[in-house]
Amino acid sequence: MTPTHMSPRLIVSDPDEAAKFYQDALGAEEEFRSPPKDEGPPTIVAHRIGDSSFRVSPAVSSWGWLSTGDLGGSAVLLEIEVADPDAVGERMIAHGAEVVVPIENRPYGKRSGRIRDPFGHLWIITGELR
């Protein structure tokens, strides 16, 4: 069987707060939200950025869903290619993210850097040289 689509799921301490960050800082569009149910599944928020999608879910240790805080850091780098990496990086920082590696022209022909979002996930922000 050949997969037709893959959507990463970002485990966070507060899915509502994370959804707002990704919408404000990255321009993510909310596709759907599953409301929490009494003793049922927690809130899960699906987003789309361009042709890509991802979900935001709360940490639920009994299910093995651990946040970056539970793990002591992020084990995954999420890479996003944008028209203006500097503007996206600045917008992320304005909404609470921090610079890990400054966005600048790289010898491999891209302008990129690394940002840690307020939930501990690491993003490579990349685009064309300027």
Side-chain angles (χ1 to χ4, degrees):
M1 181 174 121
T2 303
T4 59
H5 185 79
M6 184 174 99
S7 296
R9 186 173 294 225
L10 305 181
I11 306 301
V12 298
S13 55
D14 184 335
D16 292 320
E17 187 178 326
K20 181 168 177 21
F21 171 83
Y22 298 126
Q23 290 165 22
D24 293 345
L26 295 175
E29 295 178 21
E30 187 173 311
E31 292 188 300
F32 75 85
R33 174 182 298 260
S34 66
K37 298 177 184 171
D38 294 338
E39 298 183 34
T43 298
I44 297 169
V45 185
H47 291 90
R48 178 161 296 286
I49 298 175
D51 291 337
S52 301
S53 64
F54 67 99
R55 287 167 171 52
V56 177
S57 299
V60 181
S61 60
S62 63
W63 294 0
W65 292 10
L66 304 176
S67 71
T68 59
D70 297 327
L71 297 171
S74 179
V76 174
L77 289 170
L78 300 154
E79 186 167 339
I80 183 170
E81 189 159 340
V82 296
D84 188 345
D86 296 279
V88 171
E90 289 169 11
R91 198 166 53 245
M92 289 178 78
I93 292 163
H95 286 90
E98 65 178 286
V99 174
V100 175
V101 176
I103 295 172
E104 52 191 41
N105 290 341
R106 303 291 173 186
Y108 48 82
K110 290 287 188 174
R111 183 164 185 81
S112 65
R114 198 170 325 135
I115 306 287
R116 180 178 294 112
D117 72 28
F119 312 95
H121 294 285
L122 295 171
W123 294 79
I124 297 173
I125 310 302
T126 190
E128 298 303 315
L129 295 172
R130 65 170 186 161

